[in-house]
Amino acid sequence: MEGEDPATTYDSVVLALEAGYRHFDLAEHYKTQGHVGRALAFKSDDIPRDQVWLTNKIDGLPCGDYAAVRARVEAMCKECGVTGFDLLLIHYPLAAGTDLNGDPGALSTPAAW
């Protein structure tokens, strides 16, 4: 959803929640935590946080030392309006901000290793 209109992202998450979706895949790279967080807050009277699973991903490697990673994750939590994520992953094993041009197959080449 990176690059999409924030209103489109927000509206899509609200509609997904209303349709019964309870798992959302976020990433530091997508920059959608705030839009997803607003939708979760909007629907919080109907859908408690403990009924929604949030996966989030840190953008690339190296991630940094513990303090740097913790600060990044805390900032993403704050932006999303949650106290934590249910699953936190490293997005991909390349430098942060690497442009895959929509092709994750770029990760499976010896040059990328």
Side-chain angles (χ1 to χ4, degrees):
M1 288 187 164
E2 180 189 12
E4 288 215 20
D5 175 52
T8 300
T9 301
Y10 169 81
D11 291 342
S12 297
V13 174
V14 169
L15 290 171
L17 287 163
E18 290 172 349
Y21 285 73
R22 295 296 181 267
H23 178 215
F24 294 90
D25 181 37
L26 310 169
E28 187 175 26
H29 187 81
Y30 302 156
K31 298 176 176 65
T32 56
Q33 286 93 354
H35 316 308
V36 172
R38 284 190 310 115
L40 292 172
F42 177 71
K43 298 302 290 180
S44 65
D45 288 343
D46 303 326
I47 305 164
R49 168 64 180 96
D50 65 357
Q51 291 182 17
V52 176
W53 182 274
L54 296 176
T55 298
N56 202 355
K57 296 177 288 300
I58 294 171
D59 189 13
L61 289 175
C63 295
D65 64 15
Y66 175 79
V69 172
R70 182 177 177 135
R72 287 166 64 187
V73 172
E74 287 175 348
M76 289 185 283
C77 285
K78 183 177 180 181
E79 188 175 356
C80 195
V82 298
T83 57
F85 299 106
D86 300 293
L87 178 62
L88 183 65
L89 305 168
I90 296 172
H91 203 157
Y92 45 80
L94 296 174
T98 298
D99 183 6
L100 301 176
N101 294 319
D103 180 14
L107 296 176
S108 64
T109 64
W113 303 336

